[in-house]
Amino acid sequence: HGLEAIACLDAVSEDSRAAIAVKLAQGMSHNDCKAHSAAAYALGQIGSLRTVNSSFRSFVAEALVRQTGDDVRFGPGFQAALKGIGTAGNGHSRLLEMVIEKLALALGDDDSATRTSAARALGTVGAVKAVPSGVRENIVERLANVLDDSHVNVRRRSTEALGAVCSA
C-alpha cells in the first residue's frame, strides 16, 4: 500500500495517521479480495504501533470490524491485523473483546484454513501477559469449543493455542 509505511513513521501526527486509517478503511470496501486483505493488513500495521494511544488503536479495530460486518471470510490480512492490534493492546478489555468476538466468528467458518488461522490468532492474543484473566477465560472457552473439530489442523492449532493461553 505505501500509505501504512508513511503512517508508521514516528514523525507522523495522530491526525495524519487517522486520515490514512480512514482512507485504508474505505479501501476495504472493494470487491477485490486481495485489495481488501491488503488494506486490512495495512490498518493492522498502523494499529499495532507501540506509539499509538489506546483510543486510536480502538478506532482502527472498530474500522476493521465495521468494514467486514458479519463476513468471517475476511482473509489472512484481516486476521493478522486483528492479531497485531490485540497483542499491542496492552490488555485494553473493550478492544480485546472486539478482536476476540471477530476471531471467534471465524472459528465457525466452513473453511478449515480460516478456522485454523483464527485459532492461531486467538492463541497469540490470549498469550499476551497484559490480557486480563476474564478476557483470557473467554478465549479459552472459545478455543475449547473447537477441540473436537473435524479437521486435524484446527484441532492441533486449537490445542497449541490453548497451551499458550493457559501458560501466559
Side-chain angles (χ1 to χ4, degrees):
H1 253 275
L3 280 177
E4 87 271 11
I6 295 166
C8 291
L9 294 172
D10 287 339
V12 174
S13 71
E14 286 290 314
D15 288 345
S16 295
R17 274 198 187 112
I20 291 170
V22 167
K23 196 74 174 156
L24 288 168
Q26 290 168 346
M28 288 177 58
S29 60
H30 290 298
N31 288 336
D32 177 8
C33 187
K34 284 186 178 175
H36 191 272
S37 189
Y41 183 79
L43 270 172
Q45 293 297 314
I46 298 166
S48 302
L49 289 172
R50 297 280 177 210
T51 55
V52 301
N53 63 39
S54 62
S55 61
F56 182 80
R57 201 180 316 281
S58 291
F59 165 76
V60 172
E62 285 170 11
L64 281 165
V65 170
R66 193 173 39 255
Q67 285 295 345
T68 55
D70 293 331
D71 184 13
V72 294
R73 274 218 192 176
F74 29 64
F78 184 82
Q79 287 193 1
L82 284 178
K83 181 173 71 174
I85 289 170
T87 54
N90 290 330
H92 188 276
S93 294
R94 189 173 143 315
L95 172 70
L96 286 168
E97 290 294 344
M98 199 173 9
V99 167
I100 292 162
E101 284 304 311
K102 200 64 175 178
L103 289 171
L105 268 177
L107 288 175
D109 192 62
D110 292 339
D111 179 48
S112 65
T114 298
R115 295 194 310 273
T116 301
S117 61
R120 183 183 303 123
L122 277 169
T124 303
V125 172
V128 174
K129 299 280 186 231
V131 170
S133 60
V135 173
R136 192 170 279 122
E137 288 168 17
N138 184 3
I139 293 172
V140 167
E141 189 178 307
R142 304 299 184 127
L143 288 168
N145 288 336
V146 292
L147 286 175
D148 61 351
D149 193 275
S150 61
H151 199 277
V152 66
N153 285 342
V154 178
R155 291 192 305 269
R156 183 181 318 127
R157 290 294 180 226
S158 298
T159 303
E160 290 169 1
L162 271 171
V165 173
C166 291
S167 65

